[in-house]
Amino acid sequence: GLAVQRFAANGTAQGGVTVLQGLSPDLLNAADVSAYDLQALDNGGYVLTYSLGLEESFRSATVAAQTNGQVLTIPLAGRPHEFYVGGAPVNASFSLRGVTSTGAVKTVALTAVDGVISIGGAILDQFANDNRLTLQVNGLSQGQAVTVGIDTRQDVKYDLAAALDTVATSFAATTSGPTAVGVIATSEGRAEGFTIGSATFANGTGPSFVNIQITPQI
C-alpha cells in the first residue's frame, strides 16, 4: 500500500496522512515501514512517501476427497500470498476461483515450485476482488487428503460496529417435489444471515419445511 504525508521545511507535519492505494486507515499505525522517499517541492515544501507492509496471517487447512475427482474448496480470508503444498499427492492440482470485473466466475490454474505456490499480480489482476477468492483442490482419489499452508495479507479491515448491507433476491424453483431447489447467491461479499420474507407455492399450502444449505464458494 501507499500513503503520503506532507512536511514543512522545518520538518513539521502539514495535515494528516493521505491514503493513496491499498491501505485501511487502521493500518497506518503499523510499525512495518518497508520503504520511504523524501522529495523537495518547487514551492519549498517536502513530500515524504512511504510504503507499509500489510499485516500477515497464516493458517493451515486440510481437505479430503470423498469420491474420485471431487473438487474441494477452501475459502480464503485476505489477499493470498503463498500456498505451501509440499506434502500433497502427485495427482493433486490447484486453482484459484473468483469473479471478474463483469461478474463472471473465473478459475486460474496454479503451479507449485518446490512445494510452494506464489500468488503475484499477474494472477490477482484477473479477479475483481483479490480478497474474495477460493482455493480449489482437484484430481484427488477417494480417501486422499491434502493439507495446505495458507499465507495471506490483510488489505481490508471491517468495522464490526458498522451496519451490514442488506441484499434482496428471489428465485423460482424449476422442478417440483422434494427435489425442488432454488439457488440464492451473490458474486461478491460474505453473507452473514438469511431471512425468508415471503413465499408462494403452486399447491396453495406450501412444503412442510424449507431447508437452507450454505455452501462456501467465493
Side-chain angles (χ1 to χ4, degrees):
L2 183 64
V4 297
Q5 168 72 63
R6 183 173 181 175
F7 290 84
N10 63 0
T12 302
Q14 295 183 332
V17 175
T18 300
V19 178
L20 298 183
Q21 181 180 6
L23 285 179
S24 162
D26 290 334
L27 295 178
L28 291 176
N29 293 324
D32 184 12
V33 179
S34 58
Y36 67 91
D37 182 56
L38 182 65
Q39 295 289 336
L41 302 177
D42 293 339
N43 62 4
Y46 292 85
V47 170
L48 175 67
T49 61
Y50 53 93
S51 298
L52 299 180
L54 296 177
E55 187 172 324
E56 184 176 1
S57 175
F58 182 85
R59 69 183 179 96
S60 64
T62 300
V63 291
Q66 303 301 313
T67 59
N68 291 334
Q70 181 182 4
V71 179
L72 304 169
T73 59
I74 303 173
L76 303 174
R79 180 193 302 169
H81 179 65
E82 287 182 331
F83 301 118
Y84 303 96
V85 296
V90 295
N91 53 311
S93 61
F94 302 88
S95 57
L96 269 185
R97 183 163 58 83
V99 295
T100 67
S101 58
T102 63
V105 176
K106 185 176 182 63
T107 301
V108 178
L110 304 176
T111 301
V113 177
D114 296 329
V116 178
I117 299 173
S118 297
I119 307 300
I123 294 175
L124 296 177
D125 289 347
Q126 300 182 57
F127 301 103
N129 289 317
D130 53 21
N131 58 8
R132 289 288 184 270
L133 301 174
T134 296
L135 177 64
Q136 293 189 157
V137 183
N138 309 273
L140 297 182
S141 300
Q142 183 178 4
Q144 284 187 311
V146 171
T147 297
V148 181
I150 303 170
D151 183 1
T152 59
R153 300 292 189 268
Q154 175 187 309
D155 61 341
V156 175
K157 188 172 183 178
Y158 297 98
D159 181 2
L160 299 180
L164 298 176
D165 291 331
T166 299
V167 178
T169 185
S170 63
F171 73 89
T174 57
T175 60
S176 61
T179 59
V181 176
V183 178
I184 301 176
T186 56
S187 61
E188 299 176 9
R190 302 191 186 279
E192 297 290 343
F194 297 92
T195 300
I196 300 177
S198 62
T200 57
F201 305 96
N203 62 7
T205 59
S208 58
F209 70 93
V210 176
N211 181 49
I212 297 180
Q213 177 177 319
I214 301 174
T215 304
Q217 295 292 337
I218 292 176

